[in-house]
Amino acid sequence: MLENGCQTDPLRRRSLLLYAAWAVFFLALFAFTSAVAWNWQEQIHERAVHRQDLAAEESLHRMSDLLGIMLQIHARNLLPFVVAGKQYWPAQLPRYERVHPYTEHLACTRFQETLPFPLTGCLSGHGMPGMSCQIGTPKTLADGDLHIPMQVQDSTTGRSCSATLRFSGLSTRQSEQFFLYAGHTALASWQNGAWGAAVAEPKHWLQRSHPVQGTPLEMRVFWQNTLNATARQTLLRMRSGTAILLVLELIFALASLLWLYRYDMDLRFRWAQEQMRALMLRNVSKTRLLRSLVELSVHVTQAHGAYIAEPDATRRFLRITAICGIREEIHNALRQLPLNLDEGVSPWGQLFPTLAFHRKERTDRYRPHVSGAWSKVCAEYPALRGLREVIVWPILYSVNHDPAGVFSLEIRRWQRWLFGQQLIAHWDLILNDLRRHLQSQHEQAEKERLQHFDTLTGLPTRRHFLTLAEEVLQSAQPCWLGILDLDHFNELNTIYGDQDTDHCLAEIATQIQSALPSEAIIGRVGGDEFALLLCQEKNTPALASPKIARAIGSAGKKVLCTNLSGSLGWAHFPNDDNSIGKLFHHANEALAQAKRNGRDDWQLYAGPVRERAQRRLHVNHHFANALQDGEIHFFLQGKGDLQTRRITGVELLARWITPDGRRIGPGRFMPYVEENQHLIRLLGRHALAEAARLRAKTASLGLENWSLSVNIGARHFLAPEFIDDLKEICPDGRGLILELTETAQVLGSRPARPIMESCHELGYQLSMDDFGTGYSSLLSIARLPFDEIKLDQGFVRQFRSDIASFSIAGAARLLSHLSHIRLIAEGIASPAELRLWQQLGGRYVQGYLLAPALPENAFFTWHGTLMPQLLHPEPVVPLQDLNWLWELMQSHQPSKRRRNR
């Protein structure tokens, strides 16, 4: 089930509220419509019944009043015959019967029967006392009239006159029946427009009664509570309209229910999409993301079933990795479904995932490449038409790669019919979001892989190697960290090209991995530099280094057909340090020593290597503070002119004296200062300031002709800020000589000449220090504007024994003579060296024979006694006789050796 299934409760409650609101609204609408229609029908029915009642009562009143009026009228019409007597009857009786067709049997005689019903009020207003009116019992005959005998009698004369009144009634509705009662006895009944004998009263009919005026008779009317045709038609129209309205409301209700369902499903899809996006933002695992997709599809969007299938290792089958069904049997059936990636053997229902995987597009039975075949299959197997809709999407990282899997969705047929493309569009959006997220994850994983592993060799990168090494070092087991650098690999890269050397690097990585144990960690930490971590006691550098050397040689011969070697430096954990960063630094120190030893070697971080590294660390940490605290002093060593036998200048030599009086020799800190561009600049600025001060002091002592030499490191000299430093500290360089150390860097640098010319413009002179070491070239010296050349003291000491050094000294003398460049011999420590230098034509000297480097006060105290007094100056040998001088020196050496013995 969904891990966030609790969040579906608000969704379910919202859906229930929507449907409940819909049901309440339309039930209320139906009830309101029915109530209003019923009320209107009741009103119409009541009005129709009321009109019937009124009509019946009106007919009753008209009938009874007409009968009473006719009795009164005809009773008054008989009065003249009673008063006139018999003499009036013969002539009037026929006329009366013609004038009044409603009377018959007119006679001026007494009725034979007794007249029980008096007729009152018939003679009122005539002023004839003694007159009375009576009626007899009404009778009905076949003619349909009501025959009522009546008589008028004069009680004083005894005369009477009688007649029969024929009462045919009025035109009434057929639904009405009238009865004439005398007390409780029904005398006659009127129905269907005629009077007849009294019949049984209708049961359950409405009735009204009204007395006949002037008589003891009573007229009753009976009618059914039924509507007339007009009322029935009105009610029928009303009911038809109500039915139509209810049908329209039902249609509207169904349409709104459909809209509400679509709206609810749209909300569900949007909620599912939001949930998927929330999971993507949380960067959950791919497995959990795919499982959430199928669960959301079933439990939230009410699909029938869904599953995710991914290709197996052989890429011949799709393996279901996430599945969800609305019922357990569907779940089990889908899980057992075999999915073959071969289109030729995939049965229908299982072909859709295969097609979606290969075509990289959504697949269902409506797709053009499926619909035709599906129609043929359904024609052969009609049962397939009733299957549920199956839609399959490929899960793509990108269009250029095979899908990571397929997402298959099984929905009900009516859902596809109800939603159409809208339903597909929703899942398209969700799958598109999933595709972008998986692509982003894939790119991120690839980026992390590229960050952690080298693309060429597949080895961990420097950062990842350090991370892996730190994890191993946490176990506190002894380890060896090695740094391997291939010898002269840049030259090979220039010769063979990038492609071949890259192939060689990959082969070297493979060979080293094969040579070392599987638990060893190997990383590529530079272009041609590798790092190794060995964590077993038997994997010592003494055993591993030859294996690595053989692996490198084998790879070089296999790929480049050349001999290839490497230099190795090793540091031990925990003896050398506990930090991987410092171990890395220590191994690099050992590697540097292996390179200084001539390469194709391996060294441990121990002994001299450790001491050298510790000195470098001490210098880098404390030298800047030592300058600031005044611990760096400049001792002075004089430079003499053999021709004038005077001191012509001094050289400022740096000395480090700690606060406790301990002296640190220049050989123990100057090499490391010269390596550090920041420190060498600080020292150079300090030396320039001291030179400017001493120049002022020598001028005050009357030694204004002296020159002051200041050592400037190559890194400071070639720095863009160097000329600015000169202009800031000592813009007037007269009397100051800049001695350039590490001349190989200066001679091989293109911008050296403009800097030297700028120095000359400021009044400085330039000296090439330590000539005869490194890669100094006479041609380079001749082309650069040097004012002075200083032969290295080690070079001077080899004059007597090394023909090459002797020859170079002679060439330097010739260059000095032709170019007018001062040539100074450093390190002259014995009279023999001085004598030889004189014979070579040397003029300027510096060394212990004059004086060692002295503090400032001591030097200025004793500078007048420093120049040696040569009792027997040696003649200068001409340049063309240098060969004779060399042979002369060689002839004296054996006898000297014999005397030494």
Side-chain angles (χ1 to χ4, degrees), residues 55-69 167 170-172 178 210:
E57 289 184 0
E58 183 181 358
S59 298
L60 174 64
H61 284 282
R62 289 173 59 195
M63 183 76 76
S64 61
D65 291 346
L66 180 60
L67 177 58
I69 291 171
F167 181 67
L170 299 174
S171 176
T172 61
F178 293 88
H210 191 272

Side-chain angles (χ1 to χ4, degrees), residues 520-542:
I521 301 176
I522 308 172
R524 186 184 179 194
V525 296
D528 59 345
E529 193 172 72
F530 298 86
L532 309 100
L533 188 67
L534 306 177
C535 294
Q536 286 189 358
E537 295 182 358
K538 61 181 180 180
N539 294 326
T540 61

Side-chain angles (χ1 to χ4, degrees), residues 438-468:
L438 292 179
Q439 182 178 0
S440 175
Q441 277 191 335
H442 180 71
E443 292 175 353
Q444 184 64 27
E446 184 65 18
K447 185 182 296 184
E448 291 180 359
R449 189 186 70 81
L450 293 177
Q451 290 178 350
H452 293 163
F453 294 92
D454 177 52
T455 56
L456 178 63
T457 61
L459 298 177
T461 60
R462 181 187 186 93
R463 178 179 297 179
H464 191 48
F465 176 83
L466 292 176
T467 302
L468 296 176

Side-chain angles (χ1 to χ4, degrees), residues 485-489 491 528 565-568 591-602:
D485 186 72
L486 302 179
D487 297 335
H488 308 296
F489 197 78
E491 288 80 356
D528 59 345
S565 62
S567 301
L568 261 167
L591 172 64
Q593 185 62 43
K595 291 182 177 180
R596 284 192 292 269
N597 291 346
R599 303 178 185 268
D600 193 14
D601 188 20
W602 62 273

